[in-house]
């Protein structure tokens, strides 16, 4: 996480020095490490949504792992991979 934040901060500074306005979005703990006046905190009206967002990221990462050996993947193949991850990793066992 620290490397990503450092990279994003450095990239934003470099683009800012080049005359670009760079908007940074994220949660407060992440934004505390980025030095830019153009940052805004990602706030959800329902905290459960943040968990759902994180679960969807984990699902996509797991599905991408199974799909990476393919040259390309059409929507039905991606959907099938997501359904498999959901059934195997996210079911109530």
């Amino acid at each position: 996480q620290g490397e990503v934040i450092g990279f994003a901060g450095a990239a934003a500074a470099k683009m800012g020095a080049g005359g670009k306005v760079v908007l940074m979005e994220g949660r407060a703990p992440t934004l505390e490490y980025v030095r830019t006046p153009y940052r805004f905190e990602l706030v959800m009206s329902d905290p459960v949504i943040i968990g759902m967002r994180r679960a969807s990221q984990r699902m996509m990462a797991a599905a991408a792992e199974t799909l990476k050996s393919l040259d390309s993947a059409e929507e039905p193949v991606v959907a099938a991979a997501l359904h498999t991850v959901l059934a195997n990793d996210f079911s109530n066992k």
Side-chain angles (χ1 to χ4, degrees), residues 5 26-36 39-41:
I5 294 168
R27 288 180 265 162
T30 303
L31 293 175
E32 289 174 10
Y33 294 97
V34 179
R35 306 254 185 254
T36 176
R39 60 187 183 181
F40 61 96
E41 183 180 350

Side-chain angles (χ1 to χ4, degrees), residues 27 44 46-58 90:
R27 288 180 265 162
M44 306 269 183
D46 182 356
V48 172
I49 294 173
I50 294 174
M52 294 168 74
R53 177 178 178 256
R54 182 65 189 126
S56 67
Q57 290 171 331
R58 288 180 53 213
F90 288 83

Side-chain angles (χ1 to χ4, degrees), residues 49-86:
I49 294 173
I50 294 174
M52 294 168 74
R53 177 178 178 256
R54 182 65 189 126
S56 67
Q57 290 171 331
R58 288 180 53 213
M59 284 181 61
M60 195 60 231
E65 188 65 29
T66 65
L67 297 170
K68 72 180 183 181
S69 63
L70 304 176
D71 291 333
S72 66
E74 297 294 324
E75 184 178 338
V77 176
V78 174
L82 286 168
H83 283 284
T84 300
V85 168
L86 182 60

